[in-house]
Amino acid sequence: MSIANIPQKYLWLVDVNPPNIIKQGLALYGTLERAGTASNPEILAWASECGIPYGSDDIPWCGLYAAVVVKRAGWDVVKSPLWARSWVNFGTKSPEAGLGDVLVFSRDGGGHVGFYVAEDTDFYHVLGGNQSDAVNIIRIRKNRLLDARRPAWRIKQPDSVKRYFVDASGAVSTNER
């Protein structure tokens, strides 16, 4: 996992030995959608890697990002992964959101999916794709959470899979597109 693009306030993630889902997700940190009719070939390659028909990064790609991260981490991708709300079928229901869990949110016109990194009083800090047209960590209001899903661990769950509380600072997302 390269720490070159990770914001300073989240560098602690490297020290806690995060689950592979977070390692794989952070490896893609900073990937940007291309403006206009051109698409980022890296994002299109994720679709090919996952066997998902996908033609343009103008199509919401949070579910595509989740699919490539989950696949690279060694887990099965849900059916219809481009539909963010399909991710409520991933793994098992989490008793409380923890590091590496898949978080599914409501949003106007659909849903959003990303990975739990941390939280503050009112917001989850979410590693996700198509957040302001990039892979980044952004704060999403807790009351938008539809479900938190945890990988069905085949071996012992890493000790780092737990809640992390951080300062309430950083950009707040209201509609991930």
Side-chain angles (χ1 to χ4, degrees), residues 94-158:
S94 180
E96 61 183 10
L99 185 62
D101 285 354
V102 171
L103 302 181
V104 182
F105 296 94
S106 64
R107 74 167 176 83
D108 290 342
H112 182 65
V113 62
F115 301 98
Y116 177 102
V117 170
E119 62 188 276
D120 59 55
T121 304
D122 296 318
F123 297 89
Y124 289 112
H125 295 236
V126 179
L127 172 62
N130 205 30
Q131 298 180 158
S132 299
D133 299 331
V135 173
N136 56 34
I137 298 171
I138 198 157
R139 297 167 65 219
I140 300 177
R141 191 166 290 284
K142 287 181 175 180
N143 67 5
R144 292 182 45 208
L145 183 70
L146 296 174
D147 206 356
R149 308 295 296 183
R150 184 159 293 168
W153 292 97
R154 298 175 195 103
I155 56 172
K156 183 181 180 295
Q157 175 180 293

Side-chain angles (χ1 to χ4, degrees), residues 72-96:
R72 289 179 181 178
W75 301 102
D76 292 332
V77 175
V78 298
K79 289 184 181 182
S80 304
L82 295 179
W83 295 100
R85 289 179 181 227
S86 293
W87 287 92
V88 299
N89 298 310
F90 177 76
T92 61
K93 185 163 186 62
S94 180
E96 61 183 10

Side-chain angles (χ1 to χ4, degrees), residues 150-171:
R150 184 159 293 168
W153 292 97
R154 298 175 195 103
I155 56 172
K156 183 181 180 295
Q157 175 180 293
D159 292 336
S160 62
V161 177
K162 61 184 180 181
R163 295 171 76 186
Y164 291 87
F165 291 89
V166 296
D167 290 337
S169 63

Side-chain angles (χ1 to χ4, degrees), residues 8-82:
Q8 181 76 29
K9 74 182 269 179
Y10 295 109
L11 285 179
W12 58 267
L13 285 165
V14 177
D15 297 330
V16 299
N17 190 25
N20 199 27
I21 280 180
I22 295 298
K23 291 176 185 176
Q24 295 298 325
L26 288 173
L28 301 173
Y29 198 96
T31 303
L32 296 170
E33 178 179 315
R34 294 232 175 119
T37 58
S39 291
N40 183 330
E42 183 178 2
I43 294 171
L44 298 181
W46 299 343
S48 294
E49 180 179 337
C50 294
I52 299 169
Y54 185 79
S56 166
D57 65 16
D58 286 336
I59 298 166
W61 50 275
C62 64
L64 176 58
Y65 169 75
V68 76
V69 168
V70 163
K71 182 179 187 304
R72 289 179 181 178
W75 301 102
D76 292 332
V77 175
V78 298
K79 289 184 181 182
S80 304
L82 295 179

